[in-house]
Amino acid sequence: MRAMIILGTAGLLLVTGCTSTKRIVVDPQGVDQAQYQQDLAECEQVADQVSTGRDATEGAIGGAVLGGILGAIFGDSGTAGRMAGGGAVLGGAGKAGDAQQEKSRVMKNCMRGRGYRVLN
């Protein structure tokens, strides 16, 4: 159980750390920095509309249900409880990572739509 929690937490940190919306790389040639900062802030507001908390909760619930079922099938009630807990952590981490990737995609599309050449 502890190993699953540690693995899930580490996975969540890796996914969210790698897909931060703040890591947008644009070609700076011909870019007005004041306008860029304004556009960046506005695009961050748009990207913040992507729900991350609800997706993580849904993933945790789904993971707990699946883990509990598998634990009940292949073990006893203790195994079912441990599997449900591990499934919740892994399911929540996976869905949170998916939401962060979507947020990053929205951010990059927003900046492209404003005429920036996004390099990453």
Side-chain angles (χ1 to χ4, degrees):
M1 173 74 166
R2 286 184 191 167
M4 287 185 202
I5 292 172
I6 291 169
L7 179 62
T9 303
L12 176 61
L13 291 174
L14 284 172
V15 170
T16 58
C18 294
T19 60
S20 171
T21 58
K22 307 255 186 227
R23 294 186 184 190
I24 303 296
V25 179
V26 299
D27 185 352
Q29 186 173 1
V31 172
D32 175 335
Q33 284 301 310
Q35 184 63 49
Y36 170 77
Q37 291 302 322
Q38 180 180 347
D39 289 339
L40 186 65
E42 290 173 2
C43 285
E44 284 176 347
Q45 288 177 345
V46 171
D48 283 342
Q49 294 176 27
V50 175
S51 170
T52 54
R54 187 186 73 204
D55 290 346
T57 301
E58 289 173 359
I61 292 169
V65 169
L66 182 60
I69 290 170
L70 291 174
I73 291 170
F74 296 110
D76 56 21
S77 63
T79 303
R82 287 190 299 277
M83 294 288 286
V89 170
L90 294 175
K95 282 293 190 175
D98 292 347
Q100 281 299 108
Q101 287 179 341
E102 179 65 19
K103 218 172 183 175
S104 180
R105 215 173 4 260
V106 168
M107 181 72 180
K108 290 174 184 178
N109 287 337
C110 181
M111 293 298 283
R112 284 185 189 107
R114 291 172 186 242
Y116 294 95
R117 188 166 160 232
V118 179
L119 302 176
N120 63 338

